[in-house]
Structure formats: structure tokens, C-alpha cells
Amino acid sequence: MATLKSYSACLRGTALLLPSPTSGDRYTRRNAKWRSPQAAVIPDFHLPMRSYEVKNRTSVDSIKSLRLITAIKTPYLPDGRFDLEAYDDLVTMQIVQGAEGVIVGGTTGEGQLMSWDEHIMLIGHTVNCFGASIKVIGNTGSNSTREAIHASEQGFAVGMHAALHINPYYGKTSMKGLVQHFNSVLSMGPTIIYNVPTRTGQDIPPEVIYSMAENFNLAGVKECTGNDRIKQYTSKGIVVWSGNDDECHDSRWNYGATGVISVISNLVPGLMRELMFGGKYPSLNSKLMPLMKWLFHEPNPIGLNTALAQLGVVRPVFRLPYVPLPLEKRIEFVNLVKEIGREYFVGDKDVQVLDDDDFVLVSRY
């Protein structure tokens, strides 16, 4: 009872703990130097909104073992809404050709162009349709800790197996702030921390990751700063996925990475599975390198969106500010497909160059 009374008093304010002033000391109190009342410091009584049924659906270890995770593309109808039929086909092709997980609503999937309603709906749809066949990792990160917590609660409630969390971008915080931010979301469930300083403007230094390494819910790190950093983590037993397609072969076989969170596997999932599962394969890695360079000629996902439209597996619809690659790059892609072999790419239609007028750019949706 005493604890409840003390807590109630804290909520009402510290003034209730002070004796009432007498008329004799009112003059003194009015003329004394004013001091701000001390803020009441109380424990954090906010508990994670989580279900043990959801929590126990997937173990952290089952996420740590994934070798090929595809950052799945989100396709659109001509009015800019999700094309769920095309999306289902994309995910199905990933499952058939050996991907073990998908990132839903990541940068590649254009989560930054979605409302949170769209975002959580797409995570739930993916779990509902494919959750028994592939691990569904929802990108529920945000530069607002409150928003990241809320989105993660919703994502886990609709059944996602793990969350992907970026460090706060644009409105950057301190190193202590990073630790507080990540610890706040780690309580929700299995989590992959994503470090990509070229997008966020801030590196997550190893000291921050080390401070959270013992957290049961830390599945690992998606690391984009290179193989030296990956080696730092793997030498200490921390699970890492390469975030760079052009480095992932060496990351996996020379630096201890568990696998890759891949963009190019949207196009050639079977070949990327060979690269991650079959042992060192430098000739295949070299064969794919021109396609990887083409894919990132402009910021991701511009190249991927263009390529999937040319392969005929999605409509040529872009949510602005993304626009298709120019004609000369589209012609280059057709030649790359022929060199690698059309049979290795998703879909079964002939690859096309497409005219500029074939593309639909949507600014309101």
C-alpha cells in the first residue's frame, strides 16, 4: 500500500509532499529566489505490448541461422496501391528458389513510401499467406523510438517472425541514445539491427553493438560498412549478414558472415542461393558482378524496379520520387540477362527494353 501511495503522490506532483506554508512565511517565500520544482523520477512502468503466443512462435536461433534473406520488392497497381497478386508471385518465386527469409517494407520494398497502415497490412498479409514457408522480417524501424516501438508491437501482433531496426536517421542521436533506442525495441522480439551509414548519416559503432550482444532478442546485425567490420563481429560470436550484394560472397566464406540480406536475389534467387550455400564459388560471383554494378548505378530500388518491370513480373509503376532508369541502361539490362541466361531470372516472359511511355509515375496514392 505504501508503494502505491508513493507512486500516486509522484503522479500528482512533489508539492503534495511539502508542508503547507504558514501566513508568517509567505512574504519570505515570495521574495526568495525561485527554483524549479524537482521532476519526479519514477520507474518505467510501460511494459511491452506482446503476446507469449507470438513471442514463442519463432526462436531467435531460427533467425540467426538464415543464410539468404531477400529484401522483397513491393509492386503497385496503376493507381499506386499495392499489387498483391504480383507481390504473392514474387514471394512464391523466392520460396521455390530457396530464399529462407524476406524483409517486408525495407528500403528495397519502399517502406519509406508507405503509411504505417500499409506497412503493417503488408507484413500481416505476408505472414498469413507465406509465414509457414519463409521467415517474415518486418522493417518496423524509425527515427522515433515511440514510433519504432508501436510499429514493432503491431508487427509482432500480426505474426512477423523478427523485426529489422535502423538507427535514428536525420535527427541523429548520441551513442548513449542509440543504446537506449535499440534496448527499447529489443524487448519486443527477435531483432536484426541494420547499419547503413550512407543512408542514415551515422555509423553504429561496434561499442554500441557489443553493449547489446548479450540481449536474448538480438538476432544479429545487417552490416553495410564492409568486411573488416563484419570480421570484428563474427570474431566475437555476433551473427552478421552482409548488406552488400557485391561483397557478400567474400563476407560469407572469408569473413564469417552467416549470409546476406540481398537485393539482387529479387532477380536471381537461385543463383544467390548457390552463392550462399554451396561453398566458395568465385566464378559465379564474378559472373554476377556486372549485374550487381548495374543494379546500384542509381540509388536502390530504382534499378530493381526497372529490372522487374522489364522482366514482366511487375507492372511498370513507380511511386515518386523513384523514376525508371533511362533507355540506355534498360538496353544494358537486356544484354546482361542474355549473358547470364534468362532461365536464371524470375518470371517466364521475354525481357523487354520498354519505352519511356510504358512507365507510370504516381505522386498520390
Side-chain angles (χ1 to χ4, degrees), residues 167-182:
N167 51 311
Y169 46 87
Y170 190 72
K172 296 179 287 188
T173 185
S174 64
M175 295 302 103
K176 288 184 178 179
L178 287 178
V179 173
Q180 291 287 336
H181 175 82
F182 287 126

Side-chain angles (χ1 to χ4, degrees), residues 210-221:
Y210 296 155
S211 72
M212 296 176 288
E214 299 304 317
N215 190 301
F216 177 77
N217 279 330
L218 179 64
V221 181

